[in-house]
């Protein structure tokens, strides 16, 4: 029997402010965070309308995951993404909401599920 594939994420106590801020310094990564914050939790990487190549978007998702900003998990062959809101709020209260509030919403970036 094979075990499900898993991706490593830092524990809440291991979250580092410098790593989180560095991850959020990039506008593409902030765009991903804003899209997740506006109700697109459990969104597959391919579902994001990013103005970069697939390999570059993979890099951005990896940076966010390694910094502890997002959680990624496999569902079949897709990788689903969600914000680690509770972890970030516990470790750095108000940081995530301030980042999301400072960014303009991304119009039409994701189709509405239907």
């Amino acid at each position: 029997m094979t075990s499900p594939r898993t991706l490593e994420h830092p524990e809440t106590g291991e979250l580092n402010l410098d790593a989180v801020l560095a991850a959020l310094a990039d506008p593409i990564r902030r765009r991903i965070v804003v899209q997740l914050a506006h109700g697109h939790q459990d969104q597959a990487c391919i579902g994001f309308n990013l103005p970069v190549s697939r390999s570059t978007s993979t890099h951005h998702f990896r940076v966010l995951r390694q910094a502890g900003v997002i959680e990624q998990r496999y569902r079949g062959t897709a990788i689903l993404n969600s914000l680690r809101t509770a972890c970030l709020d516990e470790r750095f209260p108000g940081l995530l909401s301030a980042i999301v509030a400072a960014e303009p919403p991304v119009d039409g970036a994701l189709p509405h599920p239907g």
Side-chain angles (χ1 to χ4, degrees):
M1 176 177 217
T2 62
S3 63
R5 295 181 290 175
T6 59
L7 298 164
E8 292 190 28
H9 302 83
E11 297 293 327
T12 302
E14 297 172 334
L15 296 179
N16 176 284
L17 183 60
D18 290 336
V20 170
L21 291 176
L24 295 172
D26 185 275
I28 297 295
R29 293 192 285 267
R30 285 195 310 274
R31 181 175 179 164
I32 292 167
V33 167
V34 167
Q35 287 180 214
L36 288 170
H38 288 154
H40 298 287
Q41 294 284 16
D42 294 332
Q43 180 70 40
C45 295
I46 198 165
F48 287 81
N49 184 17
L50 301 175
V52 295
S53 70
R54 187 178 297 222
S55 64
T56 300
S57 68
T58 298
H59 165 75
H60 288 301
F61 283 104
R62 182 175 50 251
V63 169
L64 288 169
R65 178 177 48 82
Q66 290 174 339
V69 177
I70 65 171
E71 178 183 350
Q72 293 186 302
R73 66 189 177 290
Y74 281 98
R75 181 181 295 160
T77 59
I79 296 177
L80 301 182
N81 301 278
S82 59
L83 279 178
R84 294 183 65 191
T85 306
C87 296
L88 289 166
D89 285 346
E90 179 183 325
R91 188 83 167 103
F92 312 113
L95 176 65
L96 186 59
S97 59
I99 294 295
V100 171
E103 286 293 309
V106 181
D107 293 330
L110 293 172
H112 292 292

